[in-house]
Amino acid sequence: IMVPGTGQPPFAESALDFLDAGKREELMDDMFVGVKIEVLVAGAGDRDVTVEYARSLLGARQIYGGTMSENGAEVWSAFRHDAEGFVRIVVIDRGISEGRLSRLLQRLLEMETYRMLAMMALPRAREVMAELGELEPQLDEVMGQLARRRDESAHEELLRRITAISAQAEHIAAANAYRFAAARAFTFSSSSASCVE
């Protein structure tokens, strides 16, 4: 939803405010990624002033971004959700054409969508790390026994245990490979940004 500026402070109004309550509720219920972008025309001043202004609008000391479109614009975000669940992005117009601005806005929305899609794998990655963490002490114990014990019959039993642990690890990897491959694909689809503290 795109609306012209109203003269209010940036982010004081949401484009959703222009919808009736029913439509707004419907959109919020179905929302996967929420992004608010304010496009502001640059005033006379150096980059440090712009960065401080972006920090104040985003409510964060640590922000990410930089110049885009052959220095025609600056883009800044803290990648944090506001009270309504939206990520805020500030675009400073430094003479960018309307066509390039529209492509930049589309790309920013796509990047944020890819970022959220990539993050969907994070809870599962934490679960997988916990599962693998349970296997690690078992493997350490077997390897320690393998180093200490000299008889072949004990080695055969220990090798069977190593094979079982390896099979469990392979099963975990195979069961989650598609999720992590998708997350990697979404991660590579987005661009990197520099951090300013």
CSV table of all heavy atoms in Angstrom, one decimal, residues 1 11 14-15 31-38 77 81-82 85-89 105 108-113 116:
chain,number,residue,atom,x,y,z
A,1,ILE,N,0.9,-1.2,0.0
A,1,ILE,CA,0.0,0.0,0.0
A,1,ILE,C,0.9,1.2,0.0
A,1,ILE,O,1.8,1.3,0.9
A,1,ILE,CB,-0.9,0.0,1.2
A,1,ILE,CG1,-1.7,-1.2,1.3
A,1,ILE,CG2,-1.8,1.3,1.2
A,1,ILE,CD1,-2.4,-1.4,2.7
A,11,PHE,N,6.8,7.6,10.0
A,11,PHE,CA,6.3,6.5,10.7
A,11,PHE,C,5.2,6.8,11.7
A,11,PHE,O,4.8,5.9,12.4
A,11,PHE,CB,7.4,5.7,11.4
A,11,PHE,CG,8.5,5.1,10.4
A,11,PHE,CD1,9.8,5.6,10.4
A,11,PHE,CD2,8.2,4.1,9.5
A,11,PHE,CE1,10.7,5.2,9.6
A,11,PHE,CE2,9.1,3.6,8.7
A,11,PHE,CZ,10.4,4.2,8.7
A,14,SER,N,0.6,5.0,9.5
A,14,SER,CA,0.8,3.8,8.7
A,14,SER,C,-0.1,3.8,7.5
A,14,SER,O,-1.2,4.4,7.5
A,14,SER,CB,0.5,2.5,9.5
A,14,SER,OG,0.5,1.4,8.7
A,15,ALA,N,0.4,3.2,6.4
A,15,ALA,CA,-0.5,3.2,5.2
A,15,ALA,C,-1.8,2.4,5.5
A,15,ALA,O,-2.8,2.6,4.9
A,15,ALA,CB,0.3,2.5,4.0
A,31,MET,N,-0.7,-11.6,7.4
A,31,MET,CA,0.6,-11.0,7.1
A,31,MET,C,1.7,-12.0,7.4
A,31,MET,O,1.8,-12.6,8.5
A,31,MET,CB,0.8,-9.8,8.0
A,31,MET,CG,2.1,-9.1,7.7
A,31,MET,SD,2.3,-7.5,8.5
A,31,MET,CE,2.6,-8.0,10.2
A,32,PHE,N,2.6,-12.2,6.5
A,32,PHE,CA,3.8,-13.0,6.7
A,32,PHE,C,5.0,-12.1,6.9
A,32,PHE,O,5.9,-12.3,7.8
A,32,PHE,CB,4.1,-13.9,5.4
A,32,PHE,CG,5.4,-14.6,5.5
A,32,PHE,CD1,5.6,-15.6,6.5
A,32,PHE,CD2,6.4,-14.3,4.6
A,32,PHE,CE1,6.8,-16.3,6.5
A,32,PHE,CE2,7.6,-15.0,4.7
A,32,PHE,CZ,7.8,-15.9,5.6
A,33,VAL,N,5.1,-11.0,6.1
A,33,VAL,CA,6.2,-10.1,6.2
A,33,VAL,C,5.6,-8.7,6.3
A,33,VAL,O,4.8,-8.4,5.4
A,33,VAL,CB,7.2,-10.1,5.0
A,33,VAL,CG1,8.3,-9.1,5.1
A,33,VAL,CG2,7.8,-11.5,5.0
A,34,GLY,N,5.9,-7.9,7.3
A,34,GLY,CA,5.4,-6.5,7.3
A,34,GLY,C,6.6,-5.5,7.3
A,34,GLY,O,7.5,-5.6,8.0
A,35,VAL,N,6.5,-4.6,6.3
A,35,VAL,CA,7.5,-3.6,6.1
A,35,VAL,C,6.9,-2.3,6.0
A,35,VAL,O,6.0,-2.1,5.2
A,35,VAL,CB,8.4,-4.0,4.8
A,35,VAL,CG1,9.5,-3.0,4.7
A,35,VAL,CG2,8.9,-5.4,4.9
A,36,LYS,N,7.5,-1.3,6.7
A,36,LYS,CA,7.1,0.1,6.5
A,36,LYS,C,8.3,0.8,6.0
A,36,LYS,O,9.4,0.7,6.5
A,36,LYS,CB,6.7,0.7,7.8
A,36,LYS,CG,5.4,0.2,8.4
A,36,LYS,CD,5.2,0.9,9.8
A,36,LYS,CE,3.9,0.4,10.5
A,36,LYS,NZ,3.8,1.0,11.8
A,37,ILE,N,8.1,1.5,4.8
A,37,ILE,CA,9.2,2.2,4.2
A,37,ILE,C,8.8,3.7,4.1
A,37,ILE,O,7.7,4.0,3.6
A,37,ILE,CB,9.6,1.7,2.8
A,37,ILE,CG1,9.9,0.2,2.9
A,37,ILE,CG2,10.7,2.5,2.2
A,37,ILE,CD1,10.2,-0.4,1.5
A,38,GLU,N,9.7,4.6,4.6
A,38,GLU,CA,9.5,6.0,4.5
A,38,GLU,C,10.5,6.5,3.5
A,38,GLU,O,11.7,6.2,3.7
A,38,GLU,CB,9.7,6.7,5.8
A,38,GLU,CG,8.5,6.6,6.8
A,38,GLU,CD,7.3,7.5,6.5
A,38,GLU,OE1,7.5,8.4,5.6
A,38,GLU,OE2,6.3,7.3,7.1
A,77,SER,N,18.1,0.5,7.9
A,77,SER,CA,17.2,-0.3,8.7
A,77,SER,C,17.9,-0.8,9.9
A,77,SER,O,19.1,-1.1,9.9
A,77,SER,CB,16.5,-1.4,7.9
A,77,SER,OG,15.6,-2.1,8.7
A,81,HIS,N,11.5,-5.4,14.6
A,81,HIS,CA,10.0,-5.2,14.4
A,81,HIS,C,9.5,-4.1,15.4
A,81,HIS,O,10.0,-4.1,16.5
A,81,HIS,CB,9.3,-6.5,14.7
A,81,HIS,CG,9.5,-7.6,13.7
A,81,HIS,ND1,10.5,-8.5,13.9
A,81,HIS,CD2,9.0,-7.8,12.5
A,81,HIS,CE1,10.5,-9.3,12.8
A,81,HIS,NE2,9.6,-8.9,11.9
A,82,ASP,N,8.6,-3.3,14.9
A,82,ASP,CA,8.0,-2.3,15.7
A,82,ASP,C,6.9,-2.9,16.5
A,82,ASP,O,6.6,-4.1,16.4
A,82,ASP,CB,7.6,-1.0,14.9
A,82,ASP,CG,6.5,-1.3,13.9
A,82,ASP,OD1,5.9,-2.3,14.0
A,82,ASP,OD2,6.3,-0.4,13.1
A,85,GLY,N,4.6,-5.1,14.5
A,85,GLY,CA,5.2,-6.3,13.9
A,85,GLY,C,5.8,-6.0,12.5
A,85,GLY,O,6.0,-6.9,11.7
A,86,PHE,N,6.1,-4.7,12.2
A,86,PHE,CA,6.7,-4.3,11.0
A,86,PHE,C,8.1,-3.9,11.1
A,86,PHE,O,8.6,-3.4,12.1
A,86,PHE,CB,5.9,-3.0,10.4
A,86,PHE,CG,4.6,-3.3,9.9
A,86,PHE,CD1,3.5,-3.3,10.8
A,86,PHE,CD2,4.3,-3.5,8.6
A,86,PHE,CE1,2.2,-3.5,10.3
A,86,PHE,CE2,3.0,-3.7,8.1
A,86,PHE,CZ,2.0,-3.7,9.0
A,87,VAL,N,8.9,-4.3,10.1
A,87,VAL,CA,10.3,-3.8,10.0
A,87,VAL,C,10.3,-2.5,9.3
A,87,VAL,O,9.6,-2.3,8.3
A,87,VAL,CB,11.1,-4.8,9.2
A,87,VAL,CG1,12.5,-4.2,8.9
A,87,VAL,CG2,11.3,-6.1,10.0
A,88,ARG,N,11.0,-1.5,9.9
A,88,ARG,CA,11.1,-0.2,9.3
A,88,ARG,C,12.3,0.0,8.5
A,88,ARG,O,13.4,-0.4,8.9
A,88,ARG,CB,11.0,0.9,10.4
A,88,ARG,CG,9.7,0.9,11.2
A,88,ARG,CD,9.8,2.0,12.3
A,88,ARG,NE,8.5,2.1,13.0
A,88,ARG,CZ,8.2,3.0,13.8
A,88,ARG,NH1,9.1,4.0,14.1
A,88,ARG,NH2,7.0,3.1,14.4
A,89,ILE,N,12.1,0.7,7.3
A,89,ILE,CA,13.2,1.0,6.4
A,89,ILE,C,13.1,2.5,6.1
A,89,ILE,O,12.0,2.9,5.7
A,89,ILE,CB,13.2,0.1,5.2
A,89,ILE,CG1,13.4,-1.4,5.5
A,89,ILE,CG2,14.3,0.6,4.2
A,89,ILE,CD1,13.2,-2.3,4.3
A,105,LEU,N,12.5,0.2,-4.2
A,105,LEU,CA,11.5,-0.2,-3.3
A,105,LEU,C,11.1,-1.6,-3.5
A,105,LEU,O,11.0,-2.4,-2.5
A,105,LEU,CB,10.3,0.8,-3.3
A,105,LEU,CG,10.6,2.2,-2.9
A,105,LEU,CD1,9.3,3.1,-3.1
A,105,LEU,CD2,11.1,2.3,-1.5
A,108,LEU,N,13.9,-3.9,-2.2
A,108,LEU,CA,13.9,-3.9,-0.7
A,108,LEU,C,12.8,-4.8,-0.1
A,108,LEU,O,13.1,-5.5,0.8
A,108,LEU,CB,13.8,-2.4,-0.1
A,108,LEU,CG,14.9,-1.5,-0.4
A,108,LEU,CD1,14.6,-0.1,0.0
A,108,LEU,CD2,16.2,-2.0,0.3
A,109,LEU,N,11.6,-4.7,-0.7
A,109,LEU,CA,10.6,-5.6,-0.2
A,109,LEU,C,10.9,-7.0,-0.5
A,109,LEU,O,10.6,-7.9,0.4
A,109,LEU,CB,9.2,-5.2,-0.9
A,109,LEU,CG,8.7,-3.8,-0.4
A,109,LEU,CD1,7.5,-3.4,-1.3
A,109,LEU,CD2,8.4,-3.8,1.0
A,110,GLU,N,11.5,-7.3,-1.6
A,110,GLU,CA,11.8,-8.7,-2.0
A,110,GLU,C,12.9,-9.2,-1.0
A,110,GLU,O,12.9,-10.3,-0.5
A,110,GLU,CB,12.3,-8.8,-3.4
A,110,GLU,CG,11.3,-8.6,-4.4
A,110,GLU,CD,11.8,-8.5,-5.9
A,110,GLU,OE1,13.1,-8.4,-6.0
A,110,GLU,OE2,11.0,-8.4,-6.8
A,111,MET,N,13.9,-8.3,-0.7
A,111,MET,CA,15.0,-8.7,0.2
A,111,MET,C,14.5,-9.0,1.6
A,111,MET,O,14.9,-10.0,2.2
A,111,MET,CB,16.1,-7.6,0.2
A,111,MET,CG,16.9,-7.6,-1.0
A,111,MET,SD,18.0,-6.1,-1.1
A,111,MET,CE,18.8,-6.1,0.5
A,112,GLU,N,13.5,-8.2,2.0
A,112,GLU,CA,13.0,-8.5,3.4
A,112,GLU,C,12.2,-9.8,3.4
A,112,GLU,O,12.2,-10.5,4.4
A,112,GLU,CB,12.2,-7.3,3.8
A,112,GLU,CG,11.7,-7.4,5.3
A,112,GLU,CD,12.8,-7.5,6.3
A,112,GLU,OE1,13.9,-7.2,6.0
A,112,GLU,OE2,12.5,-8.0,7.4
A,113,THR,N,11.5,-10.1,2.3
A,113,THR,CA,10.7,-11.3,2.2
A,113,THR,C,11.7,-12.5,2.2
A,113,THR,O,11.5,-13.5,3.0
A,113,THR,CB,9.9,-11.3,1.0
A,113,THR,OG1,9.0,-10.2,1.0
A,113,THR,CG2,9.1,-12.6,0.9
A,116,MET,N,13.1,-13.1,5.7
A,116,MET,CA,12.1,-13.8,6.6
A,116,MET,C,12.0,-15.2,6.2
A,116,MET,O,11.9,-16.1,7.1
A,116,MET,CB,10.7,-13.1,6.5
A,116,MET,CG,10.7,-11.7,7.2
A,116,MET,SD,10.9,-11.9,9.0
A,116,MET,CE,12.6,-11.3,9.2
